[in-house]
Amino acid sequence: MCGPATVLADPKAGFKCTPVASTFAVAESCAPQGQDEDSECPKVLRSTSAVPELLEEMNQSAELTNKLELHASQAEIRYRQCLARWSRLHRNLLEEHGAQSVDRARRYFEAEEALKAAAERIQNTSHQISAAGQDAKAAAGMEANDEMAAQGKLEHEVALVCFSKALRSVEYWRAKAGEKKLDSILPSVRLLRGHAKKLDTEQERIAALSQRIQASKARYRSSMVELERISNAIHERRSSGSDEGEPEYEPVPTGSRHEA
């Protein structure tokens, strides 16, 4: 029996997002040692309109990243626990009944599932044919209704073929496995399938969280780069000794500021 995939995304890859305290704290960090809060650099930085928004963006991104990483970590724990249950049950099943009997029971189970799906498809196509017939009566002679009816009949015929094939498969694997073996093995096979579905669900959740984490970290990095640009502009102005006006700075658009 094929086991579930075990490759997990790593939502923690990369740097750790750290919340930023405030605009004033960043302003202080760019001032030379010994200067007070009324010095030129903090004044210039506080007056830069982009800074509060960038700091807020960094704080929101850091908070969101940490929250998403926590959810991803919890999903990984659930995945590993479910995988352990699946592996233990599968191993015990093989030890008790043997690989051949387990494989035959699995094939019977899959054929039974295919038979149920085919029966449902037959029912759906029957309803479509009935609806198309009623529409044809309401609008007699319309070519579009004739085409819909023909398409419905074709799908119904295909569904009948699938049902017949699945039924033969069910009967074949029931005979190969034996009624007693099926009664003994099928409950565990159904449990294995349930665990496998849970594993798929957690895997998809981890992948989705990983994508959101990377997007949040990208916004954090973008805001950090913009703050560094502002800081560099301030330092360049201070090193030039100019005291006229504020440094020329035009924020580069960073896209959406908020999580969708």
Side-chain angles (χ1 to χ4, degrees), residues 61-108:
S61 298
E63 182 180 354
L64 178 61
T65 298
N66 294 335
K67 182 187 298 184
L68 292 173
E69 285 183 339
L70 175 61
H71 292 330
S73 177
Q74 293 170 342
E76 285 189 3
I77 292 173
R78 290 193 299 270
Y79 181 95
R80 292 190 176 95
Q81 290 173 341
C82 188
L83 180 61
R85 289 192 294 270
W86 186 96
S87 300
R88 183 168 56 253
L89 177 60
H90 186 235
R91 182 173 60 252
N92 293 340
L93 198 59
L94 291 176
E95 290 174 355
E96 182 177 356
H97 300 284
Q100 186 180 69
S101 294
V102 172
D103 182 65
R104 287 174 175 175
R106 176 185 63 83
R107 289 176 180 271
Y108 171 82

Side-chain angles (χ1 to χ4, degrees), residues 129-220:
I129 292 173
S130 176
Q134 292 176 359
D135 291 342
K137 290 180 180 179
M142 291 185 65
E143 184 178 347
N145 287 326
D146 293 339
E147 291 179 358
M148 288 177 60
Q151 181 66 25
K153 290 179 181 179
L154 178 60
E155 291 179 359
H156 186 70
E157 290 173 0
V158 172
L160 288 173
V161 171
C162 291
F163 181 86
S164 178
K165 182 178 178 180
L167 181 59
R168 289 195 301 270
S169 183
V170 165
E171 293 172 347
Y172 174 82
W173 288 112
R174 181 190 290 120
K176 292 286 286 185
E179 291 289 346
K180 290 185 178 180
K181 277 291 185 180
L182 286 176
D183 291 342
S184 178
I185 298 175
L186 277 178
S188 295
V189 171
R190 294 189 178 97
L191 280 177
L192 285 172
R193 182 56 57 91
H195 289 325
K197 288 181 178 179
K198 290 179 181 178
L199 287 169
D200 289 341
T201 299
E202 294 300 339
Q203 189 98 15
E204 291 172 1
R205 182 179 289 113
I206 291 169
L209 286 169
S210 180
Q211 290 181 352
R212 294 182 64 190
I213 287 169
Q214 296 308 315
S216 182
K217 287 183 175 181
R219 286 192 294 273
Y220 184 95

Side-chain angles (χ1 to χ4, degrees), residues 34-45:
Q35 283 193 316
D36 60 25
E37 65 178 25
D38 293 327
S39 63
E40 180 189 21
C41 179
K43 284 183 178 179
V44 172
L45 186 54

Side-chain angles (χ1 to χ4, degrees), residues 237-254:
R237 178 175 177 82
R238 290 183 60 79
S239 63
S240 69
S242 172
D243 58 356
E244 296 179 3
E246 296 184 0
E248 296 182 1
Y249 169 75
E250 182 177 351
V252 177
T254 58

